[in-house]
Amino acid sequence: MRKPIIAGNWKMNKTPDEAAQLAKDLIPLVKDAKCDVVICTPAVDFAAVKPVIEGTNIKLGAQNVHFAEKGAYTGELSADMLKAAGCEYVIIGHSERRQYFGETDKTVNLRTVAAVKAGLKAIVCVGELKDEREGGYTNAIVSYQTKMALTNLTAEDLDNVVIAYEPVWAIGTGLTATDEQANETIGVIRKAIAEQFGEEAAAKIRIQYGGSMNGGNVKGLMSQPEIDGGLIGGASLTAEKFAQVVNF
Ligand code: PEP
Protein backbone atom coordinates (compact mmCIF):
# COMPACT_ATOMS: atom_id res chain seq x y z
CA MET A 1 0.00 0.00 0.00
CA ARG A 2 3.00 2.32 0.25
CA LYS A 3 4.05 3.32 -3.27
CA PRO A 4 7.82 2.88 -3.63
CA ILE A 5 9.92 5.93 -4.38
CA ILE A 6 13.33 5.88 -6.04
CA ALA A 7 15.24 9.16 -5.98
CA GLY A 8 18.56 9.98 -7.60
CA ASN A 9 20.94 12.26 -5.72
CA TRP A 10 23.22 13.70 -8.37
CA LYS A 11 25.30 15.54 -5.74
CA MET A 12 27.79 18.02 -7.29
CA ASN A 13 27.72 16.45 -10.75
CA LYS A 14 26.47 17.54 -14.18
CA THR A 15 26.51 20.94 -15.85
CA PRO A 16 23.15 22.16 -17.19
CA ASP A 17 23.82 20.68 -20.66
CA GLU A 18 24.92 17.36 -19.19
CA ALA A 19 21.95 17.34 -16.83
CA ALA A 20 19.44 17.96 -19.63
CA GLN A 21 21.02 15.13 -21.64
CA LEU A 22 20.88 12.69 -18.72
CA ALA A 23 17.24 13.58 -18.05
CA LYS A 24 16.43 13.12 -21.76
CA ASP A 25 18.14 9.72 -21.81
CA LEU A 26 16.27 8.67 -18.70
CA ILE A 27 12.73 9.42 -19.88
CA PRO A 28 12.14 6.40 -22.16
CA LEU A 29 13.95 4.06 -19.77
CA VAL A 30 11.74 4.81 -16.75
CA LYS A 31 8.42 5.70 -18.37
CA ASP A 32 6.70 2.50 -17.17
CA ALA A 33 8.05 2.65 -13.62
CA LYS A 34 5.75 1.38 -10.91
CA CYS A 35 7.40 3.66 -8.37
CA ASP A 36 7.68 7.43 -7.99
CA VAL A 37 10.82 8.62 -9.78
CA VAL A 38 12.72 11.70 -8.60
CA ILE A 39 15.99 13.29 -9.71
CA CYS A 40 17.65 15.66 -7.27
CA THR A 41 19.96 17.75 -9.40
CA PRO A 42 22.28 20.64 -8.57
CA ALA A 43 20.29 23.88 -8.40
CA VAL A 44 22.04 25.34 -11.45
CA ASP A 45 20.50 22.50 -13.48
CA PHE A 46 16.83 23.09 -12.59
CA ALA A 47 16.16 25.44 -15.51
CA ALA A 48 17.69 23.02 -18.01
CA VAL A 49 16.06 19.87 -16.62
CA LYS A 50 12.57 21.12 -15.80
CA PRO A 51 11.36 21.61 -19.42
CA VAL A 52 12.88 18.26 -20.43
CA ILE A 53 10.92 16.27 -17.83
CA GLU A 54 7.70 18.29 -18.10
CA GLY A 55 4.78 15.92 -18.69
CA THR A 56 6.80 12.80 -17.84
CA ASN A 57 6.74 10.65 -14.69
CA ILE A 58 10.07 12.10 -13.50
CA LYS A 59 9.89 14.66 -10.70
CA LEU A 60 12.50 17.28 -9.86
CA GLY A 61 14.16 17.60 -6.47
CA ALA A 62 16.79 19.77 -4.79
CA GLN A 63 19.59 18.68 -2.47
CA ASN A 64 19.15 21.22 0.32
CA VAL A 65 16.91 24.10 1.40
CA HIS A 66 17.32 26.97 3.84
CA PHE A 67 14.84 27.33 6.68
CA ALA A 68 14.29 31.07 6.41
CA GLU A 69 11.78 32.48 3.94
CA LYS A 70 14.26 35.07 2.68
CA GLY A 71 17.05 37.31 3.87
CA ALA A 72 20.77 37.64 4.41
CA TYR A 73 21.85 34.02 3.89
CA THR A 74 24.44 34.26 1.15
CA GLY A 75 24.53 31.22 -1.11
CA GLU A 76 21.31 29.68 0.21
CA LEU A 77 17.95 28.92 -1.44
CA SER A 78 14.51 29.13 0.16
CA ALA A 79 11.70 26.60 -0.18
CA ASP A 80 9.67 29.12 -2.22
CA MET A 81 12.59 29.56 -4.61
CA LEU A 82 12.87 25.80 -5.10
CA LYS A 83 9.16 25.52 -5.75
CA ALA A 84 9.24 28.39 -8.22
CA ALA A 85 12.10 26.64 -10.03
CA GLY A 86 9.94 23.52 -10.43
CA CYS A 87 11.10 21.34 -7.54
CA GLU A 88 8.62 19.05 -5.82
CA TYR A 89 11.10 17.32 -3.55
CA VAL A 90 14.13 18.29 -1.50
CA ILE A 91 16.74 16.14 0.22
CA ILE A 92 17.43 17.32 3.77
CA GLY A 93 20.18 16.30 6.18
CA HIS A 94 22.24 14.20 3.80
CA SER A 95 25.25 12.78 5.62
CA GLU A 96 27.60 14.78 3.39
CA ARG A 97 25.92 17.96 4.60
CA ARG A 98 26.14 16.75 8.19
CA GLN A 99 29.80 15.80 7.71
CA TYR A 100 31.14 18.73 5.65
CA PHE A 101 28.73 21.63 6.20
CA GLY A 102 27.89 21.64 9.88
CA GLU A 103 24.37 20.28 9.49
CA THR A 104 22.91 19.32 12.87
CA ASP A 105 19.74 17.55 13.97
CA LYS A 106 18.38 20.99 14.87
CA THR A 107 19.00 22.51 11.44
CA VAL A 108 17.69 19.36 9.75
CA ASN A 109 14.48 19.89 11.72
CA LEU A 110 14.25 23.59 10.82
CA ARG A 111 14.77 22.81 7.12
CA THR A 112 12.25 19.97 7.18
CA VAL A 113 9.56 22.11 8.79
CA ALA A 114 10.23 24.99 6.37
CA ALA A 115 10.13 22.69 3.33
CA VAL A 116 6.92 20.89 4.30
CA LYS A 117 5.08 24.03 5.40
CA ALA A 118 5.99 25.61 2.04
CA GLY A 119 4.53 22.64 0.15
CA LEU A 120 7.66 20.70 -0.78
CA LYS A 121 8.10 17.00 -0.15
CA ALA A 122 11.08 16.43 2.14
CA ILE A 123 13.40 13.44 1.82
CA VAL A 124 14.98 13.43 5.27
CA CYS A 125 18.22 11.48 5.66
CA VAL A 126 19.20 9.66 8.83
CA GLY A 127 21.85 7.05 9.46
CA GLU A 128 24.62 5.90 11.73
CA LEU A 129 28.40 6.14 11.35
CA LYS A 130 30.51 2.98 11.20
CA ASP A 131 31.71 3.44 14.81
CA GLU A 132 28.15 3.91 15.98
CA ARG A 133 27.03 0.64 14.37
CA GLU A 134 30.03 -1.19 15.78
CA GLY A 135 29.31 0.24 19.22
CA GLY A 136 25.73 -1.00 19.11
CA TYR A 137 24.19 2.47 18.94
CA THR A 138 22.45 2.26 15.54
CA ASN A 139 18.90 2.02 16.86
CA ALA A 140 19.36 4.84 19.35
CA ILE A 141 20.98 7.10 16.73
CA VAL A 142 18.42 6.61 13.96
CA SER A 143 15.50 6.92 16.40
CA TYR A 144 16.89 10.16 17.83
CA GLN A 145 17.72 11.64 14.42
CA THR A 146 14.26 10.77 13.09
CA LYS A 147 12.35 12.18 16.06
CA MET A 148 14.45 15.35 16.06
CA ALA A 149 13.99 15.85 12.31
CA LEU A 150 10.20 15.54 12.57
CA THR A 151 9.68 17.72 15.64
CA ASN A 152 6.96 20.38 15.17
CA LEU A 153 5.35 18.54 12.26
CA THR A 154 1.87 16.98 12.46
CA ALA A 155 0.84 13.47 11.44
CA GLU A 156 -0.78 15.06 8.34
CA ASP A 157 2.49 16.77 7.44
CA LEU A 158 4.09 13.32 7.21
CA ASP A 159 2.19 12.73 3.94
CA ASN A 160 4.86 15.03 2.51
CA VAL A 161 7.86 13.43 4.18
CA VAL A 162 9.97 10.51 3.05
CA ILE A 163 12.72 9.20 5.33
CA ALA A 164 15.93 7.93 3.75
CA TYR A 165 17.84 5.52 5.97
CA GLU A 166 21.42 5.85 4.84
CA PRO A 167 24.07 4.12 6.95
CA VAL A 168 26.97 6.53 6.47
CA TRP A 169 29.48 3.70 6.10
CA ALA A 170 27.57 2.48 3.02
CA ILE A 171 27.44 5.77 1.11
CA GLY A 172 29.71 5.86 -1.91
CA THR A 173 31.81 3.04 -0.49
CA GLY A 174 30.44 0.05 -2.38
CA LEU A 175 29.46 -1.42 0.99
CA THR A 176 25.74 -2.08 1.34
CA ALA A 177 23.81 -2.94 4.45
CA THR A 178 22.51 -6.47 4.10
CA ASP A 179 18.85 -6.69 3.14
CA GLU A 180 18.07 -7.80 6.68
CA GLN A 181 20.16 -5.06 8.35
CA ALA A 182 18.46 -2.39 6.26
CA ASN A 183 15.02 -3.85 6.89
CA GLU A 184 15.58 -4.13 10.63
CA THR A 185 16.86 -0.56 11.02
CA ILE A 186 14.05 0.84 8.90
CA GLY A 187 11.67 -1.04 11.19
CA VAL A 188 13.29 0.77 14.13
CA ILE A 189 12.76 4.12 12.38
CA ARG A 190 9.12 3.26 11.75
CA LYS A 191 8.70 2.40 15.43
CA ALA A 192 10.18 5.77 16.42
CA ILE A 193 7.64 7.47 14.15
CA ALA A 194 4.85 5.42 15.70
CA GLU A 195 5.92 6.65 19.16
CA GLN A 196 5.92 10.24 17.94
CA PHE A 197 2.88 10.32 15.62
CA GLY A 198 0.93 7.09 16.13
CA GLU A 199 0.70 3.76 14.35
CA GLU A 200 -1.31 5.02 11.36
CA ALA A 201 1.22 7.69 10.41
CA ALA A 202 4.05 5.20 10.88
CA ALA A 203 2.36 2.63 8.65
CA LYS A 204 1.87 5.24 5.91
CA ILE A 205 5.24 6.96 5.77
CA ARG A 206 7.67 5.83 3.09
CA ILE A 207 11.18 4.94 4.22
CA GLN A 208 13.91 4.45 1.66
CA TYR A 209 17.26 2.72 1.94
CA GLY A 210 20.35 4.48 0.59
CA GLY A 211 23.97 3.39 0.41
CA SER A 212 25.58 1.88 -2.69
CA MET A 213 22.21 0.69 -3.98
CA ASN A 214 22.36 -0.39 -7.61
CA GLY A 215 20.86 -2.68 -10.22
CA GLY A 216 22.54 -5.68 -8.63
CA ASN A 217 21.23 -5.34 -5.10
CA VAL A 218 17.95 -3.47 -5.57
CA LYS A 219 15.74 -6.54 -5.89
CA GLY A 220 16.86 -8.04 -2.58
CA LEU A 221 16.50 -4.76 -0.73
CA MET A 222 13.11 -3.96 -2.27
CA SER A 223 11.76 -7.39 -1.39
CA GLN A 224 12.07 -6.49 2.31
CA PRO A 225 8.75 -5.47 3.82
CA GLU A 226 9.92 -2.25 5.51
CA ILE A 227 11.88 -0.83 2.55
CA ASP A 228 9.87 1.52 0.35
CA GLY A 229 12.46 2.66 -2.13
CA GLY A 230 15.96 3.99 -2.49
CA LEU A 231 18.05 7.13 -2.47
CA ILE A 232 20.65 6.53 -5.12
CA GLY A 233 23.96 8.37 -5.48
CA GLY A 234 26.56 6.92 -7.83
CA ALA A 235 24.17 4.75 -9.80
CA SER A 236 21.91 7.73 -10.56
CA LEU A 237 24.53 9.42 -12.75
CA THR A 238 24.07 7.05 -15.68
CA ALA A 239 20.64 6.68 -17.29
CA GLU A 240 20.91 2.91 -17.76
CA LYS A 241 22.16 2.26 -14.22
CA PHE A 242 19.49 4.44 -12.62
CA ALA A 243 16.80 2.83 -14.79
CA GLN A 244 17.91 -0.61 -13.57
CA VAL A 245 17.18 0.51 -10.02
CA VAL A 246 13.91 2.24 -10.90
CA ASN A 247 12.65 -0.80 -12.81
CA PHE A 248 13.48 -3.22 -10.03
C1 PEP B 1 23.67 9.03 -1.40
O1 PEP B 1 24.47 9.89 -1.65
O2 PEP B 1 22.57 9.32 -0.89
C2 PEP B 1 24.02 7.65 -1.72
C3 PEP B 1 23.26 6.68 -1.27
O3 PEP B 1 25.14 7.46 -2.48
P1 PEP B 1 25.65 6.07 -3.13
O4 PEP B 1 24.46 5.44 -3.78
O5 PEP B 1 26.69 6.48 -4.12
O6 PEP B 1 26.18 5.24 -2.01
Side-chain angles (χ1 to χ4, degrees):
M1 42 144 205
R2 295 186 296 263
K3 187 175 185 193
I5 173 167
I6 304 284
N9 173 13
W10 291 9
K11 310 193 185 189
M12 197 174 71
N13 293 289
K14 308 292 176 187
T15 63
D17 284 351
E18 292 167 347
Q21 188 59 52
L22 176 52
K24 222 175 272 172
D25 293 344
L26 202 53
I27 292 169
L29 303 181
V30 302
K31 68 178 176 17
D32 299 320
K34 307 271 184 300
C35 58
D36 288 337
V37 183
V38 184
I39 52 175
C40 298
T41 76
V44 290
D45 297 340
F46 297 156
V49 169
K50 184 65 187 164
V52 173
I53 60 173
E54 199 72 58
T56 75
N57 60 334
I58 303 174
K59 309 291 189 207
L60 187 61
Q63 299 173 13
N64 190 25
V65 62
H66 199 267
F67 38 82
E69 280 177 25
K70 60 167 85 161
Y73 299 100
T74 301
E76 294 295 314
L77 299 171
S78 73
D80 283 344
M81 289 171 181
L82 299 183
K83 272 177 52 186
C87 291
E88 266 183 59
Y89 288 83
V90 57
I91 298 170
I92 296 174
H94 190 278
S95 66
E96 286 151 16
R97 296 216 62 87
R98 293 178 191 256
Q99 190 179 349
Y100 305 132
F101 301 103
E103 191 77 74
T104 65
D105 291 312
K106 177 70 185 166
T107 55
V108 169
N109 174 239
L110 292 172
R111 293 182 207 282
T112 303
V113 171
V116 171
K117 300 294 182 197
L120 288 166
K121 295 179 174 66
I123 299 175
V124 179
C125 302
V126 300
E128 81 285 3
L129 305 172
K130 187 164 177 277
D131 287 351
E132 292 166 342
R133 177 162 283 272
E134 288 171 357
Y137 302 119
T138 297
N139 294 357
I141 294 284
V142 297
S143 298
Y144 177 78
Q145 288 180 343
T146 303
K147 287 183 177 181
M148 275 293 289
L150 303 181
T151 297
N152 294 326
L153 292 178
T154 66
E156 291 69 42
D157 288 333
L158 295 199
D159 290 344
N160 292 314
V161 175
V162 174
I163 304 291
Y165 166 56
E166 300 208 305
V168 179
W169 48 270
I171 296 179
T173 58
L175 299 172
T176 325
T178 64
D179 301 347
E180 292 74 23
Q181 271 175 333
N183 189 64
E184 185 187 332
T185 308
I186 288 178
V188 168
I189 293 169
R190 205 176 294 286
K191 186 162 163 282
I193 294 171
E195 288 165 4
Q196 200 175 12
F197 294 98
E199 293 291 342
E200 195 186 325
K204 269 176 35 190
I205 194 166
R206 296 185 291 182
I207 310 181
Q208 302 170 309
Y209 169 77
S212 300
M213 200 165 171
N214 57 45
N217 57 29
V218 64
K219 267 199 173 58
L221 287 159
M222 289 305 295
S223 66
Q224 296 292 321
E226 296 287 358
I227 303 180
D228 304 319
L231 183 55
I232 317 301
S236 71
L237 295 174
T238 316
E240 291 73 21
K241 286 188 180 165
F242 188 55
Q244 281 171 12
V245 181
V246 167
N247 298 316
F248 66 92

